[in-house]
Amino acid sequence: MTDKTKNSDRPAAGGTADSAATGEERVLAGTQDRETIIGRAVEEAVLHGIFRGRTVTRRGFIRQLGLAGAMAVIADIFPINAAKALANDPPKDLEKTALKIGFIPINCATPIIMAHPMGFYEKHGLKGTEVVKGAGWAMIRDWAVSKQIDCAHMLAPMPLALTTGVGSSTTPFVIPALENLNGQAIVLHKKHKDLTEASQLKGMTLCIPFEFSIHNLLLRYYLAEGGVDPDKDVKLRVVNPAEMVANLKAENVDGFIGPEPFNQRAVFEDAGFIFKLTHDIWPDHPCCAFACSREFVTQMPNTFQAAFQAIVDATVFATDHKNRKDIAKAIAPRNYLNQPVEVIEQVLTGDFPDGLGNMRHIPDRISFHPFPWNSMAVWILTQMKRWGYLQGDVDYRKIADEVFLSAECKNIMEQEGYPAPTGSPYARHVIMGKEFDPANPQQYLDSFPIRRG
Amino acid sequence: MAVPSDTAKGWIWLSLVVLLLFLGVWALFALTSKTFPSPAAVARESWFFLSRPFYDGGPNDKGIAILTAYSLARLCTGFLAGSVVAILLGVILGLNQTLFKALNPYIQMLKAISPIAWMPLLLYSVKDSGWAALLVVFMASLWPTLANTAFGVSNIKADYLNIANILQMKPLTKVCKVILPAAGPTIVAGLKISMGSAWVAIVPAEALLGSLGLGYFVWNEWNNLSLASVIFAILIIGVVGVLIDNLFSRLAGGLAYVD
């Protein structure tokens, strides 16, 4: 899509608009004034820099002077307009500007999708870049491998599977940036509303979106911690998210672990309830990523850099809760997610009904953060090994370093004035109260009583 | 037509009664189920799409006329290529009884395979979803025409071929002037079946491959669980299918000949 005015001309969806995304709300607050957004981001970054993250002082300062006043004071001591101009300067010598970027219509892809209507690709010189909707993960993978698309929204385990040649031909892929943390949930049919424990899921039929997904790995982990063997005690079916909700409604399945907005959609359709947010299994777990082939990185280094910058920029923009409502409006239309704005807002703001009659307020229900921790890759690989997807000896660190480009991401974050994690990209993570040490993956694997490999 | 006018009227009335009955049952069902869209809801949704047929909201959101054009273009290209290959092979097989008998079991078997079943194989070999969708249509239109052409050519009256031989026609002239016209009606009947099966195959192919077209529309609306839009798409697919079939019936009528 090149003509934005056409996009906003579209009238509201008629008919059963109650269950369909309406077009009217696609007037994009963000698109109208891209420079204001960038300007605001730079100002924020400068404020951050000056107060070094001491939020209280910063907020107090702004409260007293008002944002405009505060900026005027700071402009005296910091060349803020120069910084704005610098951030607005698109990269040069791009091998290609009109990229095709594939996505699956789910909230995980929020930064990749919104970067189109909100102008992040254009800002970084990628004029004419389009986001193309795929119907399923296998399709996105095939598009990416056969180069029908330049970059893709993938589940974080997918590039690891592609690079190691599990479940497909071996094609080296990289993850320059993660998209979202959290933002998934286990949803059960309303008839199971009294259940609270993993052990009670024994004998159920549950859907997963893809084998090489964080969903599959987290569900298996959760079940196994509750003493349920995911290969023997439950039936796991690979099903597209939309079909998950339809199947739940028809009571063909007992539940699913799915991406948003389909978990919330199940509540909206009065079919199920949110049994467990993945946020409560592993707080700030990785989910989806921005991915491209290593070949793309080497053949088009400047274009890759520009796309990388655009994604980091958009992902950090999505981190801020005050932008979330605008983002919901931008990505709800038929061209993108094709979902009711209301549902998307419930997901992005973290204020949502859980299907059991409670309104919940969990701001971190979904978060966006670009930094790809290498330790997360190691965790994913240990679980792929645990459930028998990966066979033989695995050089965890080597694969993690090859696929998760954390050093490069750190550079870009700093370059764009965003705070980046300092120190090693190998961190310890705590999943359901159990610590994972990336330095000892084999020891970690051996500690699980239920495992295949 | 020579049919008396009152009979003709009766036929139309009956048709209307069936339609009303169908709409009535549907409306009742929608009332009781609460979530299933009513005929009125589908009509409203249809109007929404039909009133902006050439709308272009980006690479993933196009008007229904544009999507139908995508599907028809894919259909025509795949069908034309499939038909040319099928007729050529069919004539060769029809003229050579031994070859025909030898290959017929395979053709019958291939004819029985749903074109969609080829899709993973095609996608794997050509590595491009656009081409794969086209090849699915190609496969769908190949076998019925091939079987019919071979059958039609092998059943041409021996007299015609003898006369052609007496006139010492060149092989190409013989094919164009005698064989194809004589086998014409059978070939067109085969083409009609091919076109039907190609149209049936194109919708799931587009939905599975994510290629723009009516199949994509069905999938995109289903992703939003919007049943009213899905029903609208089903209606469009049906109407276009009937129009294509009618076109072929007219073509077949034009090609009929008298001995």
Side-chain angles (χ1 to χ4, degrees):
Chain A
M1 197 206 64
T2 49
D3 190 351
K4 273 197 202 68
T5 51
K6 258 190 213 164
N7 201 10
S8 50
D9 272 350
R10 177 150 190 183
T16 52
D18 54 334
S19 69
T22 54
E24 198 165 46
E25 281 138 318
R26 72 165 63 190
V27 180
L28 311 168
T31 325
Q32 287 166 346
D33 204 352
R34 189 172 55 82
E35 280 190 14
T36 313
I37 294 172
I38 299 164
R40 214 193 302 147
V42 172
E43 286 171 0
E44 283 270 310
V46 170
L47 279 176
H48 250 289
I50 289 174
F51 293 103
R52 292 192 191 282
R54 273 169 290 161
T55 339
V56 183
T57 335
R58 193 181 88 223
R59 285 202 188 125
F61 182 69
I62 295 174
R63 205 182 305 122
Q64 280 183 348
L65 287 167
L67 184 63
M71 289 329 291
V73 170
I74 292 168
D76 282 343
I77 44 172
F78 185 88
I80 204 146
N81 286 328
K84 279 187 195 176
L86 204 66
N88 265 311
D89 223 10
K92 290 179 181 70
D93 299 325
L94 298 183
E95 297 86 354
K96 181 178 181 182
T97 59
L99 300 182
K100 273 196 162 50
I101 301 178
F103 73 96
I104 297 287
I106 53 177
N107 268 114
C108 307
T110 296
I112 292 177
I113 301 172
M114 65 176 243
H116 185 247
M118 295 183 131
F120 286 92
Y121 294 126
E122 223 168 291
K123 170 186 163 188
H124 291 275
L126 299 170
K127 232 182 162 65
T129 289
E130 284 185 342
V131 286
V132 198
K133 196 177 335 190
W137 293 111
M139 185 190 283
I140 284 281
R141 179 198 59 203
D142 295 343
W143 279 357
V145 170
S146 63
K147 295 177 205 153
Q148 286 186 65
I149 49 177
D150 302 289
C151 310
H153 156 215
M154 283 190 183
L155 293 153
M158 283 168 70
L160 293 167
L162 275 163
T163 304
T164 49
V166 178
S168 59
S169 56
T170 310
T171 322
F173 264 72
V174 293
I175 293 184
L178 287 180
E179 290 300 292
N180 64 310
L181 307 175
N182 308 326
Q184 326 300 311
I186 301 174
V187 170
L188 296 181
H189 192 270
K190 279 188 302 181
K191 69 183 173 197
H192 299 304
K193 65 175 187 291
D194 299 326
L195 306 188
T196 50
E197 299 296 321
S199 57
Q200 294 169 309
L201 306 190
K202 225 171 217 175
M204 285 191 177
T205 304
L206 303 166
C207 308
I208 54 172
F210 199 60
E211 289 208 307
F212 306 109
S213 66
I214 201 76
H215 309 79
N216 183 25
L217 302 179
L218 284 179
L219 178 65
R220 283 169 174 269
Y221 186 100
Y222 175 72
L223 289 171
E225 287 297 292
V228 180
D229 188 322
D231 288 315
K232 292 174 187 152
D233 301 333
V234 290
K235 271 189 224 154
L236 297 184
R237 275 199 212 155
V238 177
V239 171
N240 271 339
E243 315 270 342
M244 287 180 181
V245 181
N247 272 303
L248 193 71
K249 260 181 140 175
E251 287 192 52
N252 285 337
V253 298
D254 296 287
F256 58 77
I257 179 160
E260 298 297 354
F262 290 97
N263 306 313
Q264 199 56 44
R265 190 70 199 258
V267 174
F268 185 76
E269 299 286 331
D270 198 25
F273 69 97
I274 303 210
F275 174 75
K276 195 151 200 75
L277 294 174
T278 50
H279 168 265
D280 300 333
I281 298 175
W282 175 2
D284 290 344
H285 69 78
C287 177
C288 286
F290 176 71
C292 51
S293 66
R294 199 157 262 290
E295 195 186 325
F296 177 76
V297 179
T298 45
Q299 286 188 349
M300 299 191 191
N302 296 338
T303 306
F304 167 71
Q305 196 71 6
F308 197 170
Q309 285 172 3
I311 290 297
V312 168
D313 208 3
T315 308
V316 175
F317 182 79
T319 308
D320 195 336
H321 269 83
K322 71 177 190 296
N323 300 327
R324 297 275 178 97
K325 281 200 173 180
D326 290 344
I327 295 173
K329 274 182 201 137
I331 63 176
R334 199 168 252 114
N335 193 34
Y336 305 111
L337 291 188
N338 195 20
Q339 291 285 337
V341 184
E342 186 189 344
V343 175
I344 299 191
E345 264 189 27
Q346 288 172 347
V347 172
L348 289 181
T349 58
D351 292 319
F352 62 95
D354 64 357
L356 292 169
N358 314 313
M359 269 309 284
R360 293 175 70 182
H361 174 69
I362 300 173
D364 286 344
R365 178 190 185 166
I366 188 164
S367 341
F368 300 94
H369 204 281
F371 189 75
W373 293 90
N374 295 29
S375 43
M376 289 173 169
V378 175
W379 186 84
I380 291 168
L381 289 166
T382 61
Q383 299 304 303
M384 282 169 68
K385 176 105 173 71
R386 178 182 182 186
W387 303 115
Y389 297 114
L390 271 175
Q391 307 280 346
D393 284 338
V394 181
D395 193 341
Y396 296 98
R397 231 184 157 97
K398 181 170 167 278
I399 304 170
D401 290 345
E402 254 174 47
V403 179
F404 279 46
L405 307 183
S406 51
E408 288 85 341
C409 188
K410 185 172 176 239
N411 279 343
I412 288 197
M413 289 180 79
E414 282 169 352
Q415 208 180 315
E416 294 189 359
Y418 301 127
T422 47
S424 163
Y426 285 89
R428 287 164 187 256
H429 303 286
V430 179
I431 299 115
M432 292 180 79
K434 187 170 170 163
E435 198 187 59
F436 162 64
D437 177 5
N440 295 308
Q442 192 55 45
Q443 201 181 324
Y444 179 67
L445 252 180
D446 293 339
S447 71
F448 294 110
I450 302 178
R451 64 171 191 272
R452 301 287 96 79
Chain B
M1 274 200 260
V3 191
S5 63
D6 54 342
T7 324
K9 259 184 199 159
W11 175 80
I12 291 167
W13 281 119
L14 187 63
S15 196
L16 276 177
V17 167
V18 169
L19 179 67
L20 284 176
L21 214 65
F22 171 72
L23 289 176
V25 171
W26 174 5
L28 267 178
F29 176 72
L31 264 180
T32 51
S33 93
K34 284 182 202 163
T35 48
F36 196 84
S38 66
V42 173
R44 275 197 303 272
E45 196 70 7
S46 306
W47 175 245
F48 170 75
F49 290 113
L50 289 174
S51 59
R52 43 188 73 73
F54 298 104
Y55 169 76
D56 186 354
N60 312 306
D61 181 18
K62 303 216 184 276
I64 195 72
I66 299 179
L67 291 176
T68 310
Y70 268 105
S71 290
L72 283 176
R74 198 167 282 130
L75 178 82
C76 290
T77 319
F79 174 75
L80 276 179
S83 301
V84 168
V85 173
I87 292 173
L88 278 175
L89 279 175
V91 169
I92 295 170
L93 293 186
L95 290 175
N96 189 328
Q97 285 302 313
T98 322
L99 202 62
F100 185 24
K101 275 188 186 143
L103 294 184
N104 197 34
Y106 303 119
I107 295 173
Q108 294 304 327
M109 194 187 84
L110 290 166
K111 213 171 95 179
I113 299 170
S114 159
I116 296 302
W118 293 107
M119 220 181 56
L121 210 60
L122 293 173
L123 191 60
Y124 182 82
S125 10
V126 300
K127 296 200 187 315
D128 182 291
S129 52
W131 276 103
L134 214 56
L135 283 170
V136 165
V137 178
F138 175 84
M139 290 295 229
S141 32
L142 203 59
W143 311 115
T145 305
L146 175 56
N148 259 39
T149 306
F151 175 78
V153 171
S154 66
N155 282 299
I156 293 172
K157 281 185 186 163
D159 293 350
Y160 293 165
L161 295 177
N162 289 338
I163 290 168
N165 288 340
I166 290 164
L167 291 174
Q168 293 188 324
M169 279 185 178
K170 284 180 190 153
L172 196 65
T173 325
K174 194 166 88 177
V175 169
C176 294
K177 295 261 154 125
V178 180
I179 295 174
L180 285 182
T186 332
I187 295 175
V188 173
L191 286 173
K192 202 173 145 180
I193 302 171
S194 284
M195 189 61 130
S197 77
W199 185 242
V200 167
I202 203 164
V203 173
E206 286 171 346
L208 289 170
L209 291 166
S211 316
L212 279 183
L214 289 170
Y216 168 81
F217 181 85
V218 171
W219 168 76
N220 196 24
E221 292 309 314
W222 173 232
N223 206 47
N224 189 17
L225 301 170
S226 173
L227 284 181
S229 306
V230 171
I231 294 171
F232 164 70
I234 290 172
L235 289 174
I236 291 282
I237 292 165
V239 168
V240 174
V242 167
L243 289 178
I244 294 171
D245 198 64
N246 263 337
L247 198 77
F248 259 84
S249 299
R250 277 159 199 258
L251 196 65
L255 275 178
Y257 68 98
V258 188
D259 276 329

